[in-house]
Amino acid sequence: DIIKEQNRELRGTQRAISRDRAALEKQEKQLELEIKKMAKTGNKEACKVLAKQLVQLRKQKNRTYAVSSKVTSMSTQTKVMNSQMKMAGAMSATAKTMQAVNKKMDPQKTLQTMQNFQKENMKMEMTEEMINDTLDDIFDASDEEEESQDIVNQVLDEIGIEISDKMSKAPSAARGLPSASASTAATISDEEIERQLKALGVD
């Protein structure tokens, strides 16, 4: 990657500048000591020469700060460019993805699919409603039949006629079965039974 390589070079340059500055600062201190030493001995000419060297050295040190600042600026710009390139790459990939999706998603087909779904869903709801209505009718009819049978049994019980599986085998009331219900039934006519059934709403 070119940008990564450039960043490595800039970091290397920054370290080299820092080393040069440290060396210049060391020389600066030595020159200051020499100038003080020459001043104590009264050697003015030597002091002038060393003073000029010190001025040049300090100028060079100041240049290292300027160069270091420039390198830092370049490093920052490189990072910004790298970030912009990544964003551009991401946007490019996103644009390609959107193009691919738009090609596959035909608006007319999508609309037709939604309409078909709505139509089939309505059919399913209607079918479910019909099935539920049919089941309700079946169970309601079963309940009505059970209720009707209960009424019939109640009426027959009231007038003394007992319904059971053994009824067909049991002697009829006309044969003089010695039971309270049979005796009672023998005294009640068919017309009376039908009248009481009709009164209770049972045909």
Side-chain angles (χ1 to χ4, degrees):
D1 187 21
I2 298 175
I3 294 178
K4 289 183 179 180
E5 183 65 27
Q6 288 180 345
N7 284 330
R8 282 194 294 268
E9 291 180 0
L10 290 172
R11 286 194 297 269
T13 302
Q14 194 71 277
R15 287 192 296 268
I17 292 172
S18 297
R19 287 194 298 268
D20 290 343
R21 186 184 304 115
L24 290 171
E25 288 175 349
K26 186 177 180 180
Q27 292 179 19
E28 182 182 10
K29 291 179 180 180
Q30 290 176 351
L31 282 172
E32 289 174 352
L33 291 173
E34 286 292 329
I35 290 171
K36 289 178 181 179
K37 185 178 178 180
M38 293 296 105
K40 287 180 180 180
T41 60
N43 193 342
K44 294 182 180 181
E45 292 298 325
C47 287
K48 290 180 180 180
V49 173
L50 291 175
K52 288 180 180 180
Q53 292 180 5
L54 181 60
V55 170
Q56 294 297 323
L57 189 144
R58 287 177 176 175
K59 287 182 178 180
Q60 183 62 27
K61 187 179 72 171
N62 289 335
R63 292 192 186 99
T64 63
Y65 284 112
V67 173
S68 178
S69 177
K70 186 65 175 177
V71 171
T72 301
S73 177
M74 291 176 62
S75 178
T76 302
Q77 289 178 354
T78 302
K79 290 179 181 179
V80 171
M81 289 178 62
N82 188 31
S83 177
Q84 290 176 345
M85 289 177 64
K86 286 181 179 179
M87 287 192 294
M91 292 173 67
S92 176
T94 303
K96 290 180 180 179
T97 302
M98 292 174 67
Q99 288 177 356
V101 172
N102 287 331
K103 286 181 180 179
K104 291 183 179 180
M105 288 185 62
D106 186 355
Q108 293 296 331
K109 291 183 179 179
T110 303
L111 179 60
Q112 184 65 38
T113 300
M114 294 175 66
Q115 290 176 345
N116 291 339
F117 172 80
Q118 186 177 7
K119 186 185 298 182
E120 295 302 322
N121 187 52
M122 290 178 64
K123 287 182 180 179
M124 185 174 66
E125 289 179 354
M126 291 175 63
T127 302
E128 183 181 3
E129 186 176 353
M130 291 172 64
I131 292 174
N132 289 336
D133 289 344
T134 302
L135 290 174
D136 289 342
D137 292 342
I138 292 173
F139 286 115
D140 289 345
S142 177
D143 292 340
E144 289 175 0
E145 183 178 352
E146 185 177 353
E147 291 176 2
S148 176
Q149 186 62 39
D150 288 342
I151 294 173
V152 172
N153 291 338
Q154 182 181 356
V155 171
L156 293 177
D157 186 55
E158 287 176 359
I159 62 178
I161 298 176
E162 215 173 289
I163 302 297
S164 68
D165 293 337
K166 297 179 181 180
M167 187 176 176
S168 59
K169 298 179 181 179
S172 65
R175 294 179 183 178
L177 180 65
S179 66
S181 61
S183 299
T184 305
T187 62
I188 299 175
S189 65
D190 292 338
E191 290 81 1
E192 182 65 20
I193 293 173
E194 290 179 0
R195 186 185 68 76
Q196 292 191 28
L197 289 173
K198 288 181 178 180
L200 294 170
V202 180
D203 295 333

